[in-house]
Every structure is written in C-alpha cells, then in structure tokens.
Amino acid sequence: MQDVAPRHDRVLIVEDEPKIARLVADYLEGSGYPSEHLDHGDAVLPWLHQQATADDLPALVLLDLMLPGSDGLTLCREIRQRWPSIAIIMLTARVEEVDRLLGLELGADDYICKPFSPREVVARIRAVLRRSHASAEPASTDGLELDDAGWRALADGRDLGLTAVEFQLLKVMMHSPGRIFSREQLMDHMYRDHRIVSERTVDSHVKKLRRKIAEAWPEREVIRSVYGVGYKYQPDE
C-alpha cells in the first residue's frame, strides 16, 4: 500500500526552472502532497504573509538556493524567524554551499543537491514532515508538561511559576528539541510586537527560566547554551 500524505501537508516549491518545478509537483501530487509554485524570490514572503493571514500556511517549503530576486539563504532565515512551524528543505547545485546550508544559524531542516531524483525529494519531504509532526505537540516531555490554557509549565507536577515571556520561551524550544535557536530568533517569538530589546534581555530570561527549572529538578539540565550561537532544549543529553 502506498504511503500517502495527509492532504493538509501542502508544499510550496520555490524554483525558477519550470521543468524541475513541474516534475517535482507531479511526484508530490502522486504521493498525496498538494503543492504551490513560485519562481521568483521576491514573491515568497508576500505570498506567505497572505497565507498566514488566511491561516493556511504550507507545511514545508522546498527552496532553491539560486533564485532571481531574494536568494534562498536569505529567504530561509526570514521564513525560519517569522514562521518557525514551516519545515524547509534547500535545493542546491553548489556543493560548496552545503556547509552553509547545514550551518546552525540558517535553520534549514534538510538539503538536497542537484541533480536529484524526484522520488528522493518526495522521500526527504516525507521524512522531514514526519519529524515535524512528531514534535508539533510537546504537551509533555520527560516529566515537563505545558498547560497552554493556564500558561503554566509543570515539572513532575510542580508548577514552575513562569512569567508569560518565560513560558513562551520554553514552549518555542520544546517544540523543536535539539534545535539551536539564536537569540534573535528567540526575541522574535518572545515579543510579537517586535519591540527592540538587547540580546542580554534574552540571556536574562533564559537564566531565570533555568533557575526555576533547577529548583524543581536540581540534578537535571534541559536548556543548554551553545557558545556563540544561542540555546536549545535538550533534556536527554
């Protein structure tokens, strides 16, 4: 039996070569993934804004590195900061860019080098979306539970007494265990009004959050610093 995707797993293909885009779209459709296509980098962010307004963002963006207008690296950073729930797979014909694609500051979920098999693309998309779905509802992680309705975090049933900002900070990191968030990315999630705050403000909130978790779990460390980059939620290291 064919492994068919849920219909809501829509993919945005950002590729300026129409033959490649059409081929990938056909294979995605055959595997149960509806898709949209954009061929210019400058069209991507306005399109996503429109979809966000309609509460209809795609599950994944298949993003070519070399595009007319805004390039793939710039778009990847912008998408990751504004819409962290969207998975991103980069396409590149430049092997020398692979290290940058995998760089911690970029935030892509995977990359595929050209030329590629359309079946490989579908398989990689399926794998990335499965990982995304698996971490989409972090209501409970190894004894740490989030109560969205009450804006509470419970460590083995003990209320940590978090502020709204601390709760949002913990929630963002718990949604993507192991993923490293830069201070700038965390600021975007903590302050939706885009107020100007310093990176030291983020460090201060993380310090307070860690202290509150340590009061409940003195023997455990779940929020870890990555020197020169940012922070991650990693309870099982």
Side-chain angles (χ1 to χ4, degrees):
M1 182 177 178
Q2 185 180 14
D3 189 1
V4 177
R7 292 301 301 181
H8 63 274
D9 277 342
R10 187 165 54 127
V11 176
L12 172 63
I13 303 168
V14 185
E15 169 61 65
D16 62 334
E17 297 184 44
K19 290 183 179 179
I20 292 178
R22 183 68 261 163
L23 182 62
V24 171
D26 287 345
Y27 272 82
L28 287 173
E29 185 66 28
S31 299
Y33 295 96
S35 65
E36 306 285 345
H37 173 225
L38 297 175
D39 62 3
H40 198 286
D42 292 344
V44 175
L45 297 182
W47 187 89
L48 287 173
H49 275 296
Q50 184 179 27
Q51 300 303 303
T53 301
D55 196 23
D56 192 26
L57 284 168
L60 182 144
V61 176
L62 189 63
L63 184 59
D64 191 27
L65 179 65
M66 300 299 295
L67 293 165
S70 297
D71 64 271
L73 293 177
T74 300
L75 288 171
C76 183
R77 293 189 184 95
E78 290 290 327
I79 294 169
R80 181 57 72 218
Q81 290 178 6
R82 300 186 192 189
W83 302 286
S85 64
I86 300 178
I88 303 172
I89 296 180
M90 302 292 296
L91 298 175
T92 180
R94 294 164 55 182
V95 177
E96 66 273 15
E97 289 288 348
V98 167
D99 286 342
R100 294 183 66 195
L101 295 182
L102 293 177
L104 298 176
E105 79 284 356
L106 186 60
D109 296 279
D110 200 355
Y111 73 94
I112 300 173
C113 290
K114 297 180 180 180
F116 52 76
S117 160
R119 289 187 178 87
E120 177 192 4
V121 174
V122 173
R124 301 280 276 275
I125 287 174
R126 180 176 291 119
V128 167
L129 288 177
R130 279 176 174 163
R131 292 198 299 269
S132 297
H133 294 331
S135 62
E137 299 180 1
S140 177
T141 303
D142 197 20
L144 188 59
E145 301 179 24
L146 297 183
D147 173 15
D148 282 328
W151 283 70
R152 298 187 308 158
L154 307 174
D156 292 332
R158 174 179 172 178
D159 189 345
L160 298 180
L162 302 185
T163 65
V165 170
E166 290 164 357
F167 178 87
Q168 185 66 18
L169 182 63
L170 178 60
K171 182 178 178 180
V172 167
M173 289 191 284
M174 282 184 68
H175 266 292
S176 301
R179 178 186 159 191
I180 300 169
F181 289 87
S182 69
R183 290 170 176 81
E184 183 179 0
Q185 289 170 333
L186 291 173
M187 279 190 285
D188 287 340
H189 293 295
M190 291 159 55
Y191 300 105
R192 295 293 185 175
D193 57 0
H194 301 293
R195 71 185 72 175
I196 298 175
V197 297
S198 70
E199 292 187 349
R200 289 185 178 181
T201 301
V202 177
D203 293 337
S204 176
H205 285 301
V206 171
K207 182 179 180 180
K208 292 175 183 177
L209 176 58
R210 280 172 148 172
R211 186 179 68 242
K212 291 178 180 180
I213 294 174
E215 289 173 358
W217 285 342
E219 304 300 324
R220 299 182 61 184
E221 181 183 7
V222 298
I223 297 178
R224 303 172 186 275
S225 301
V226 180
Y227 182 75
V229 183
Y231 299 98
K232 66 177 178 177
Y233 178 82
Q234 189 76 61
D236 55 354
E237 276 191 352

